[in-house]
Amino acid sequence: MKLTVLKEFLNESIQHVNKAISNKTTIPILTGIKIDVDSSGMTLTASDTDISIQSFIPMEKNDLQVIDLKQSGSVVLPSKFFVEIIRKLPAQHVEIEVKEQFQTIIRSGSSEIQLMGLDPEEYPIMPGIEESKRIQIPSDVLKTMIKQTSFAVSTSEATPILTGILWTIANGKLKFIACDRHRLASRETSIDTEEGFVLNNVAISGKTLNELSKILPDQNVLIDVVFADNQVLFKMSSILFYTRILDGTYPDTSKLIPQSYQTQLVVQTDDLVDAIDRAYLLSREDKSNIVKLVMRDDQTIEISSSSSELGKVTEDLTTIRLTGELLRISFNSKYMLDALKVMDSEQIHIGFTGAMQPIIIRPDENASLLQLILPYRTTG
Amino acid sequence: MKLTVLKEFLNESIQHVNKAISNKTTIPILTGIKIDVDSSGMTLTASDTDISIQSFIPMEKNDLQVIDLKQSGSVVLPSKFFVEIIRKLPAQHVEIEVKEQFQTIIRSGSSEIQLMGLDPEEYPIMPGIEESKRIQIPSDVLKTMIKQTSFAVSTSEATPILTGILWTIANGKLKFIACDRHRLASRETSIDTEEGFVLNNVAISGKTLNELSKILPDQNVLIDVVFADNQVLFKMSSILFYTRILDGTYPDTSKLIPQSYQTQLVVQTDDLVDAIDRAYLLSREDKSNIVKLVMRDDQTIEISSSSSELGKVTEDLTTIRLTGELLRISFNSKYMLDALKVMDSEQIHIGFTGAMQPIIIRPDENASLLQLILPYRTTG
């Protein structure tokens, strides 16, 4: 293998695939990045077995020669050092030459780096994915859906399935659900699917989807998502992102969501975020995060928290609308802030069905996003 | 105590004094910030016994009323929560009222915060400083001198005096020295002093001076520095920064610096930094940080590092000037990078007196700054 490649392209590809490298891997070959070069271009691959990322560098782009190929071939290079050194090379062009026993020489300007490469034959083969189940979704919509749900996945390895975001598709709607037993986040969007296209019980690690989010382009381009038996493949223009589907059956959460409300509150989102944020500061010192909401009348609510050591925070808030029974309810302020911060709406609607029933938070004019928080049982 | 103060002024003062709060303090009252208010203004004080910082807020500034005083008084408020909540208050004005048993009410907009204050009588009194020894130094010069030397102080508590920067004054020159037994950084500057003004053996913690640096204004304003028996006071326009002088006698480092050189090298600073940075990346993986410099001829030097596991980095560099015997020398690349990064000069001069003798790095045209690194004894 011998070629010259533009540093900028190589560096961008490395940054993408590097997200799949785990520091914890016990498989030595997976600490490396695999490089394959042939007459079509250069492919970089990295994997931690849960996630695999491939990035492709074309021979040329917009009439710019990106790669000057001398000889095809493959090698695996130790990722940690490779990632850092490529970024710091002095010249625009990087020559990579693989010699016997995978010894690799990287030249750029007056720098010469010799690296001990590994045998690419030892590198695991990417999973074959049948393209039977396949959807398209705009990149920016996918990013937003991940942001609006991923924070609510469980971090407990005791229930691995709840560390994932559940994807379901039915009647032309794609829905994400994340739930950690104390709160639930759900978001849906319309997608173009064939008549009768249904997807059930596909849960993908929330952490993995956050990694994917960092690679997804900000522009409104369509991403192909291919579902296989135990793998999902996200196809971007020059990147393939493979991840496995979590084992197990995702619990039915549909019954958690109340069908009607006893009390309905509409407030300015920013005002509520700021008030709860201040109450949260104090409640955090007590390690409880408990904040209390008291509805004084249909125009005023009071947000408060107290710490036996420090003192008390009291916030008065004017409602936009408050109908139904006046309630006193306590909840985890951190969970409420997480939910409010992804609302993307000037006003929000909060529905209550009693002091011990789930609290439902929605943008005032948008039914596609829903956040649920279980209240705390407190005295007084 | 009762007053209203502009949030912006209060917040800035809190941020300044908060740098003296230590999480590790075992003295409960020192977890708080002391507030004193009288007809002249508001004074905030924080201390960890090594450092004490006082910040003053005037009644008015540039015709703007900053404080509206209702009643003088003092209180100590728990710093951690106080610092965060003030920054997040909703309105421009903050009312602070101290009631019985130092219970404190903070009001701003529709927020009300009750805090358990502590008795200001329990707070330690600031050290009295006689103004006998006093110099003035421009803030920007002091900042630069700290930056150019503080990285070289020892981090080992085994030799506390070496964790400080030594200040000496003689013949109208102020000199800083930092030394950790493997390297030395020194910088001097001319200052206006009385005839015969001498300062010896004043070592101030490098960490403390870095904290001071964050508070020092960027502009070219004069800072008063007052030296007492075991304390130094830095006086800025509205801030007093007290710190103690380290116990012990600072070692004599003057004999470490060679008087003449066997080999002298001048190179472009950026080129050398970049080359050593790449070699450092590899040497770091071996945990040795060892980089080798080989002078091939008077126009070319080679910088290299190697790791038995990863490979080798080789860098060729063209000299601007190289006179004397051609040497091979090894050194700690991290130390060299630390020294080069504070050079502030396009070209640098490196003096050698042999492969096992100190390496001296200076800006090419400026004798006020000097960095010394001891080489490594290596084979080959």
Side-chain angles (χ1 to χ4, degrees), chain B residues 329-370:
Chain B
I329 192 164
S330 296
F331 51 83
N332 183 317
S333 51
K334 175 68 170 49
Y335 289 178
M336 183 61 93
L337 286 173
D338 286 346
L340 292 174
K341 281 175 179 168
V342 298
M343 274 297 145
D344 244 353
S345 161
E346 278 190 25
Q347 301 182 358
I348 52 142
H349 176 280
I350 309 185
F352 305 87
T353 45
M356 290 317 303
Q357 299 301 316
I359 304 168
I360 304 294
I361 306 133
R362 283 181 182 277
D364 197 30
E365 303 286 342
N366 177 354
S368 73
L369 177 62
L370 177 151

mmCIF file of all heavy atoms in Angstrom, chain B residues 329-370:
data_model
loop_
_atom_site.group_PDB
_atom_site.id
_atom_site.type_symbol
_atom_site.label_atom_id
_atom_site.label_comp_id
_atom_site.label_asym_id
_atom_site.label_seq_id
_atom_site.Cartn_x
_atom_site.Cartn_y
_atom_site.Cartn_z
ATOM 1 N N ILE B 329 22.050 15.290 22.015
ATOM 2 C CA ILE B 329 21.606 15.525 23.383
ATOM 3 C C ILE B 329 20.137 15.092 23.529
ATOM 4 O O ILE B 329 19.356 15.216 22.583
ATOM 5 C CB ILE B 329 21.821 17.024 23.764
ATOM 6 C CG1 ILE B 329 21.663 17.270 25.252
ATOM 7 C CG2 ILE B 329 20.919 17.949 22.962
ATOM 8 C CD1 ILE B 329 22.239 18.612 25.709
ATOM 9 N N SER B 330 19.797 14.512 24.673
ATOM 10 C CA SER B 330 18.411 14.074 24.918
ATOM 11 C C SER B 330 17.814 14.879 26.059
ATOM 12 O O SER B 330 18.525 15.258 26.989
ATOM 13 C CB SER B 330 18.384 12.593 25.301
ATOM 14 O OG SER B 330 18.832 11.818 24.229
ATOM 15 N N PHE B 331 16.519 15.149 25.979
ATOM 16 C CA PHE B 331 15.892 15.943 27.036
ATOM 17 C C PHE B 331 14.420 15.582 27.155
ATOM 18 O O PHE B 331 13.866 14.868 26.306
ATOM 19 C CB PHE B 331 16.070 17.441 26.757
ATOM 20 C CG PHE B 331 15.649 17.848 25.374
ATOM 21 C CD1 PHE B 331 14.320 18.112 25.078
ATOM 22 C CD2 PHE B 331 16.604 17.948 24.350
ATOM 23 C CE1 PHE B 331 13.932 18.479 23.805
ATOM 24 C CE2 PHE B 331 16.215 18.302 23.057
ATOM 25 C CZ PHE B 331 14.875 18.566 22.781
ATOM 26 N N ASN B 332 13.784 16.097 28.219
ATOM 27 C CA ASN B 332 12.354 15.893 28.446
ATOM 28 C C ASN B 332 11.587 16.851 27.525
ATOM 29 O O ASN B 332 11.651 18.068 27.680
ATOM 30 C CB ASN B 332 12.050 16.174 29.923
ATOM 31 C CG ASN B 332 10.591 15.925 30.269
ATOM 32 O OD1 ASN B 332 9.695 16.308 29.524
ATOM 33 N ND2 ASN B 332 10.369 15.275 31.393
ATOM 34 N N SER B 333 10.849 16.265 26.571
ATOM 35 C CA SER B 333 10.197 17.089 25.546
ATOM 36 C C SER B 333 9.082 17.958 26.135
ATOM 37 O O SER B 333 8.828 19.064 25.665
ATOM 38 C CB SER B 333 9.628 16.200 24.442
ATOM 39 O OG SER B 333 8.843 15.164 24.996
ATOM 40 N N LYS B 334 8.435 17.463 27.185
ATOM 41 C CA LYS B 334 7.391 18.248 27.841
ATOM 42 C C LYS B 334 7.994 19.509 28.457
ATOM 43 O O LYS B 334 7.434 20.603 28.324
ATOM 44 C CB LYS B 334 6.742 17.377 28.923
ATOM 45 C CG LYS B 334 5.718 18.050 29.803
ATOM 46 C CD LYS B 334 4.472 18.412 29.034
ATOM 47 C CE LYS B 334 3.332 18.860 29.942
ATOM 48 N NZ LYS B 334 3.717 19.855 30.932
ATOM 49 N N TYR B 335 9.132 19.373 29.139
ATOM 50 C CA TYR B 335 9.792 20.526 29.736
ATOM 51 C C TYR B 335 10.218 21.512 28.652
ATOM 52 O O TYR B 335 10.102 22.732 28.811
ATOM 53 C CB TYR B 335 11.031 20.090 30.534
ATOM 54 C CG TYR B 335 10.732 19.346 31.808
ATOM 55 C CD1 TYR B 335 11.770 18.854 32.603
ATOM 56 C CD2 TYR B 335 9.428 19.146 32.249
ATOM 57 C CE1 TYR B 335 11.516 18.175 33.787
ATOM 58 C CE2 TYR B 335 9.161 18.464 33.428
ATOM 59 C CZ TYR B 335 10.210 17.975 34.194
ATOM 60 O OH TYR B 335 9.960 17.304 35.359
ATOM 61 N N MET B 336 10.745 20.976 27.544
ATOM 62 C CA MET B 336 11.190 21.853 26.465
ATOM 63 C C MET B 336 10.004 22.616 25.880
ATOM 64 O O MET B 336 10.084 23.823 25.640
ATOM 65 C CB MET B 336 11.895 21.020 25.388
ATOM 66 C CG MET B 336 12.466 21.835 24.245
ATOM 67 S SD MET B 336 13.736 23.045 24.752
ATOM 68 C CE MET B 336 15.234 22.081 24.525
ATOM 69 N N LEU B 337 8.868 21.923 25.687
ATOM 70 C CA LEU B 337 7.680 22.600 25.145
ATOM 71 C C LEU B 337 7.185 23.682 26.102
ATOM 72 O O LEU B 337 6.851 24.791 25.685
ATOM 73 C CB LEU B 337 6.561 21.586 24.882
ATOM 74 C CG LEU B 337 6.749 20.687 23.666
ATOM 75 C CD1 LEU B 337 5.650 19.622 23.619
ATOM 76 C CD2 LEU B 337 6.758 21.492 22.369
ATOM 77 N N ASP B 338 7.145 23.380 27.408
ATOM 78 C CA ASP B 338 6.732 24.381 28.405
ATOM 79 C C ASP B 338 7.595 25.643 28.277
ATOM 80 O O ASP B 338 7.080 26.760 28.305
ATOM 81 C CB ASP B 338 6.908 23.831 29.833
ATOM 82 C CG ASP B 338 5.842 22.801 30.198
ATOM 83 O OD1 ASP B 338 4.836 22.708 29.467
ATOM 84 O OD2 ASP B 338 6.032 22.101 31.209
ATOM 85 N N ALA B 339 8.901 25.431 28.143
ATOM 86 C CA ALA B 339 9.830 26.560 28.076
ATOM 87 C C ALA B 339 9.651 27.343 26.773
ATOM 88 O O ALA B 339 9.602 28.576 26.770
ATOM 89 C CB ALA B 339 11.269 26.062 28.207
ATOM 90 N N LEU B 340 9.516 26.614 25.651
ATOM 91 C CA LEU B 340 9.416 27.278 24.345
ATOM 92 C C LEU B 340 8.120 28.063 24.217
ATOM 93 O O LEU B 340 8.080 29.109 23.581
ATOM 94 C CB LEU B 340 9.506 26.238 23.217
ATOM 95 C CG LEU B 340 10.864 25.552 23.048
ATOM 96 C CD1 LEU B 340 10.764 24.442 21.992
ATOM 97 C CD2 LEU B 340 11.936 26.567 22.646
ATOM 98 N N LYS B 341 7.056 27.545 24.839
ATOM 99 C CA LYS B 341 5.747 28.179 24.642
ATOM 100 C C LYS B 341 5.624 29.546 25.299
ATOM 101 O O LYS B 341 4.694 30.287 24.996
ATOM 102 C CB LYS B 341 4.625 27.247 25.139
ATOM 103 C CG LYS B 341 4.322 26.160 24.113
ATOM 104 C CD LYS B 341 3.320 25.153 24.625
ATOM 105 C CE LYS B 341 3.045 24.099 23.550
ATOM 106 N NZ LYS B 341 2.296 22.953 24.091
ATOM 107 N N VAL B 342 6.514 29.890 26.237
ATOM 108 C CA VAL B 342 6.425 31.208 26.871
ATOM 109 C C VAL B 342 7.487 32.160 26.325
ATOM 110 O O VAL B 342 7.737 33.222 26.889
ATOM 111 C CB VAL B 342 6.542 31.114 28.416
ATOM 112 C CG1 VAL B 342 5.394 30.284 28.976
ATOM 113 C CG2 VAL B 342 7.887 30.525 28.847
ATOM 114 N N MET B 343 8.107 31.793 25.206
ATOM 115 C CA MET B 343 9.239 32.561 24.702
ATOM 116 C C MET B 343 8.851 33.911 24.108
ATOM 117 O O MET B 343 9.598 34.874 24.201
ATOM 118 C CB MET B 343 10.012 31.748 23.654
ATOM 119 C CG MET B 343 11.042 30.837 24.293
ATOM 120 S SD MET B 343 12.283 31.826 25.160
ATOM 121 C CE MET B 343 12.639 30.774 26.546
ATOM 122 N N ASP B 344 7.677 33.971 23.449
ATOM 123 C CA ASP B 344 7.227 35.265 22.930
ATOM 124 C C ASP B 344 8.236 35.889 21.979
ATOM 125 O O ASP B 344 8.463 37.097 22.020
ATOM 126 C CB ASP B 344 7.054 36.233 24.122
ATOM 127 C CG ASP B 344 5.608 36.641 24.276
ATOM 128 O OD1 ASP B 344 4.815 36.278 23.390
ATOM 129 O OD2 ASP B 344 5.289 37.310 25.274
ATOM 130 N N SER B 345 8.883 35.084 21.172
ATOM 131 C CA SER B 345 9.943 35.595 20.304
ATOM 132 C C SER B 345 9.981 34.709 19.067
ATOM 133 O O SER B 345 9.865 33.485 19.173
ATOM 134 C CB SER B 345 11.275 35.530 21.063
ATOM 135 O OG SER B 345 12.361 35.592 20.183
ATOM 136 N N GLU B 346 10.115 35.306 17.890
ATOM 137 C CA GLU B 346 10.080 34.513 16.659
ATOM 138 C C GLU B 346 11.236 33.530 16.553
ATOM 139 O O GLU B 346 11.095 32.435 16.047
ATOM 140 C CB GLU B 346 10.090 35.434 15.433
ATOM 141 C CG GLU B 346 8.708 35.955 15.113
ATOM 142 C CD GLU B 346 8.686 36.666 13.776
ATOM 143 O OE1 GLU B 346 9.541 36.368 12.922
ATOM 144 O OE2 GLU B 346 7.808 37.523 13.602
ATOM 145 N N GLN B 347 12.389 33.992 17.011
ATOM 146 C CA GLN B 347 13.564 33.126 16.959
ATOM 147 C C GLN B 347 14.054 32.889 18.379
ATOM 148 O O GLN B 347 13.968 33.774 19.220
ATOM 149 C CB GLN B 347 14.675 33.792 16.142
ATOM 150 C CG GLN B 347 14.243 34.087 14.720
ATOM 151 C CD GLN B 347 15.352 34.689 13.890
ATOM 152 O OE1 GLN B 347 16.447 34.937 14.375
ATOM 153 N NE2 GLN B 347 15.063 34.903 12.615
ATOM 154 N N ILE B 348 14.608 31.690 18.617
ATOM 155 C CA ILE B 348 15.180 31.471 19.940
ATOM 156 C C ILE B 348 16.609 30.970 19.838
ATOM 157 O O ILE B 348 17.032 30.388 18.836
ATOM 158 C CB ILE B 348 14.372 30.457 20.776
ATOM 159 C CG1 ILE B 348 14.176 29.179 19.979
ATOM 160 C CG2 ILE B 348 13.088 31.022 21.287
ATOM 161 C CD1 ILE B 348 14.288 28.003 20.862
ATOM 162 N N HIS B 349 17.293 31.243 20.915
ATOM 163 C CA HIS B 349 18.706 30.930 21.034
ATOM 164 C C HIS B 349 18.839 29.809 22.070
ATOM 165 O O HIS B 349 18.304 29.922 23.172
ATOM 166 C CB HIS B 349 19.422 32.201 21.515
ATOM 167 C CG HIS B 349 20.873 32.017 21.775
ATOM 168 N ND1 HIS B 349 21.341 31.458 22.938
ATOM 169 C CD2 HIS B 349 21.953 32.311 21.023
ATOM 170 C CE1 HIS B 349 22.672 31.417 22.883
ATOM 171 N NE2 HIS B 349 23.068 31.925 21.736
ATOM 172 N N ILE B 350 19.494 28.702 21.711
ATOM 173 C CA ILE B 350 19.717 27.632 22.675
ATOM 174 C C ILE B 350 21.219 27.440 22.842
ATOM 175 O O ILE B 350 21.939 27.275 21.851
ATOM 176 C CB ILE B 350 19.067 26.308 22.221
ATOM 177 C CG1 ILE B 350 17.595 26.539 21.843
ATOM 178 C CG2 ILE B 350 19.145 25.253 23.323
ATOM 179 C CD1 ILE B 350 16.824 25.283 21.494
ATOM 180 N N GLY B 351 21.662 27.495 24.093
ATOM 181 C CA GLY B 351 23.088 27.338 24.385
ATOM 182 C C GLY B 351 23.360 26.003 25.063
ATOM 183 O O GLY B 351 22.619 25.589 25.953
ATOM 184 N N PHE B 352 24.428 25.305 24.588
ATOM 185 C CA PHE B 352 24.808 24.003 25.145
ATOM 186 C C PHE B 352 26.247 24.077 25.631
ATOM 187 O O PHE B 352 27.086 24.721 25.004
ATOM 188 C CB PHE B 352 24.725 22.919 24.066
ATOM 189 C CG PHE B 352 23.393 22.817 23.376
ATOM 190 C CD1 PHE B 352 23.111 23.605 22.255
ATOM 191 C CD2 PHE B 352 22.426 21.929 23.820
ATOM 192 C CE1 PHE B 352 21.892 23.508 21.595
ATOM 193 C CE2 PHE B 352 21.202 21.824 23.170
ATOM 194 C CZ PHE B 352 20.931 22.614 22.053
ATOM 195 N N THR B 353 26.516 23.370 26.742
ATOM 196 C CA THR B 353 27.924 23.284 27.151
ATOM 197 C C THR B 353 28.354 21.826 27.232
ATOM 198 O O THR B 353 29.281 21.481 27.948
ATOM 199 C CB THR B 353 28.173 23.986 28.505
ATOM 200 O OG1 THR B 353 27.128 23.607 29.390
ATOM 201 C CG2 THR B 353 28.167 25.478 28.364
ATOM 202 N N GLY B 354 27.653 20.955 26.513
ATOM 203 C CA GLY B 354 27.991 19.526 26.487
ATOM 204 C C GLY B 354 26.733 18.699 26.654
ATOM 205 O O GLY B 354 25.698 19.198 27.112
ATOM 206 N N ALA B 355 26.821 17.423 26.295
ATOM 207 C CA ALA B 355 25.640 16.558 26.272
ATOM 208 C C ALA B 355 25.051 16.329 27.658
ATOM 209 O O ALA B 355 23.883 15.975 27.792
ATOM 210 C CB ALA B 355 25.968 15.218 25.609
ATOM 211 N N MET B 356 25.855 16.506 28.716
ATOM 212 C CA MET B 356 25.350 16.273 30.071
ATOM 213 C C MET B 356 25.198 17.569 30.878
ATOM 214 O O MET B 356 24.968 17.536 32.073
ATOM 215 C CB MET B 356 26.260 15.287 30.823
ATOM 216 C CG MET B 356 26.181 13.868 30.287
ATOM 217 S SD MET B 356 24.484 13.354 29.927
ATOM 218 C CE MET B 356 23.727 13.612 31.526
ATOM 219 N N GLN B 357 25.337 18.718 30.215
ATOM 220 C CA GLN B 357 25.253 20.005 30.902
ATOM 221 C C GLN B 357 23.919 20.698 30.623
ATOM 222 O O GLN B 357 23.268 20.396 29.634
ATOM 223 C CB GLN B 357 26.425 20.903 30.440
ATOM 224 C CG GLN B 357 27.804 20.329 30.755
ATOM 225 C CD GLN B 357 27.990 20.106 32.247
ATOM 226 O OE1 GLN B 357 27.642 20.959 33.056
ATOM 227 N NE2 GLN B 357 28.519 18.939 32.615
ATOM 228 N N PRO B 358 23.524 21.627 31.484
ATOM 229 C CA PRO B 358 22.243 22.321 31.306
ATOM 230 C C PRO B 358 22.091 22.943 29.917
ATOM 231 O O PRO B 358 23.060 23.448 29.352
ATOM 232 C CB PRO B 358 22.294 23.419 32.374
ATOM 233 C CG PRO B 358 23.227 22.926 33.403
ATOM 234 C CD PRO B 358 24.228 22.065 32.704
ATOM 235 N N ILE B 359 20.853 22.876 29.414
ATOM 236 C CA ILE B 359 20.505 23.523 28.149
ATOM 237 C C ILE B 359 19.865 24.863 28.498
ATOM 238 O O ILE B 359 18.970 24.921 29.349
ATOM 239 C CB ILE B 359 19.481 22.653 27.370
ATOM 240 C CG1 ILE B 359 20.035 21.245 27.153
ATOM 241 C CG2 ILE B 359 19.088 23.308 26.061
ATOM 242 C CD1 ILE B 359 18.979 20.243 26.664
ATOM 243 N N ILE B 360 20.338 25.928 27.862
ATOM 244 C CA ILE B 360 19.819 27.268 28.176
ATOM 245 C C ILE B 360 19.054 27.817 26.974
ATOM 246 O O ILE B 360 19.586 27.881 25.869
ATOM 247 C CB ILE B 360 20.979 28.242 28.512
ATOM 248 C CG1 ILE B 360 21.825 27.696 29.664
ATOM 249 C CG2 ILE B 360 20.423 29.630 28.835
ATOM 250 C CD1 ILE B 360 21.132 27.617 30.985
ATOM 251 N N ILE B 361 17.784 28.182 27.216
ATOM 252 C CA ILE B 361 16.939 28.680 26.129
ATOM 253 C C ILE B 361 16.590 30.129 26.413
ATOM 254 O O ILE B 361 16.144 30.471 27.518
ATOM 255 C CB ILE B 361 15.637 27.842 26.053
ATOM 256 C CG1 ILE B 361 15.983 26.365 25.953
ATOM 257 C CG2 ILE B 361 14.772 28.259 24.878
ATOM 258 C CD1 ILE B 361 15.186 25.497 26.887
ATOM 259 N N ARG B 362 16.798 30.969 25.402
ATOM 260 C CA ARG B 362 16.518 32.399 25.538
ATOM 261 C C ARG B 362 15.873 32.919 24.259
ATOM 262 O O ARG B 362 16.177 32.421 23.179
ATOM 263 C CB ARG B 362 17.838 33.180 25.681
ATOM 264 C CG ARG B 362 18.516 33.126 27.015
ATOM 265 C CD ARG B 362 19.786 33.994 26.925
ATOM 266 N NE ARG B 362 20.558 33.985 28.142
ATOM 267 C CZ ARG B 362 20.299 34.764 29.203
ATOM 268 N NH1 ARG B 362 19.285 35.603 29.179
ATOM 269 N NH2 ARG B 362 21.062 34.717 30.280
ATOM 270 N N PRO B 363 15.052 33.963 24.376
ATOM 271 C CA PRO B 363 14.648 34.656 23.147
ATOM 272 C C PRO B 363 15.935 35.173 22.495
ATOM 273 O O PRO B 363 16.889 35.498 23.204
ATOM 274 C CB PRO B 363 13.796 35.815 23.652
ATOM 275 C CG PRO B 363 13.442 35.479 25.057
ATOM 276 C CD PRO B 363 14.528 34.600 25.589
ATOM 277 N N ASP B 364 15.991 35.229 21.154
ATOM 278 C CA ASP B 364 17.265 35.552 20.513
ATOM 279 C C ASP B 364 17.782 36.933 20.888
ATOM 280 O O ASP B 364 18.981 37.156 20.970
ATOM 281 C CB ASP B 364 17.136 35.424 18.991
ATOM 282 C CG ASP B 364 18.516 35.354 18.331
ATOM 283 O OD1 ASP B 364 19.447 34.841 18.988
ATOM 284 O OD2 ASP B 364 18.655 35.818 17.198
ATOM 285 N N GLU B 365 16.866 37.890 21.128
ATOM 286 C CA GLU B 365 17.326 39.272 21.320
ATOM 287 C C GLU B 365 16.917 39.819 22.679
ATOM 288 O O GLU B 365 16.646 40.999 22.816
ATOM 289 C CB GLU B 365 16.737 40.177 20.219
ATOM 290 C CG GLU B 365 17.047 39.761 18.797
ATOM 291 C CD GLU B 365 18.492 40.065 18.405
ATOM 292 O OE1 GLU B 365 19.136 40.888 19.101
ATOM 293 O OE2 GLU B 365 18.983 39.463 17.439
ATOM 294 N N ASN B 366 16.779 38.987 23.687
ATOM 295 C CA ASN B 366 16.245 39.487 24.944
ATOM 296 C C ASN B 366 16.838 38.690 26.099
ATOM 297 O O ASN B 366 16.622 37.503 26.236
ATOM 298 C CB ASN B 366 14.714 39.332 24.913
ATOM 299 C CG ASN B 366 14.056 39.747 26.212
ATOM 300 O OD1 ASN B 366 14.729 40.053 27.203
ATOM 301 N ND2 ASN B 366 12.741 39.750 26.211
ATOM 302 N N ALA B 367 17.609 39.392 26.932
ATOM 303 C CA ALA B 367 18.324 38.698 27.994
ATOM 304 C C ALA B 367 17.521 38.625 29.285
ATOM 305 O O ALA B 367 17.961 38.045 30.264
ATOM 306 C CB ALA B 367 19.651 39.406 28.253
ATOM 307 N N SER B 368 16.312 39.177 29.310
ATOM 308 C CA SER B 368 15.566 39.235 30.573
ATOM 309 C C SER B 368 14.872 37.915 30.906
ATOM 310 O O SER B 368 14.432 37.692 32.006
ATOM 311 C CB SER B 368 14.531 40.362 30.532
ATOM 312 O OG SER B 368 13.464 40.006 29.697
ATOM 313 N N LEU B 369 14.777 37.034 29.909
ATOM 314 C CA LEU B 369 14.089 35.750 30.101
ATOM 315 C C LEU B 369 15.075 34.606 29.845
ATOM 316 O O LEU B 369 15.811 34.633 28.858
ATOM 317 C CB LEU B 369 12.918 35.659 29.114
ATOM 318 C CG LEU B 369 12.108 34.365 29.098
ATOM 319 C CD1 LEU B 369 11.430 34.124 30.436
ATOM 320 C CD2 LEU B 369 11.053 34.414 27.991
ATOM 321 N N LEU B 370 15.082 33.636 30.732
ATOM 322 C CA LEU B 370 15.989 32.501 30.582
ATOM 323 C C LEU B 370 15.293 31.231 31.059
ATOM 324 O O LEU B 370 14.625 31.228 32.089
ATOM 325 C CB LEU B 370 17.263 32.762 31.404
ATOM 326 C CG LEU B 370 18.334 31.671 31.451
ATOM 327 C CD1 LEU B 370 19.709 32.306 31.656
ATOM 328 C CD2 LEU B 370 18.079 30.651 32.551
#
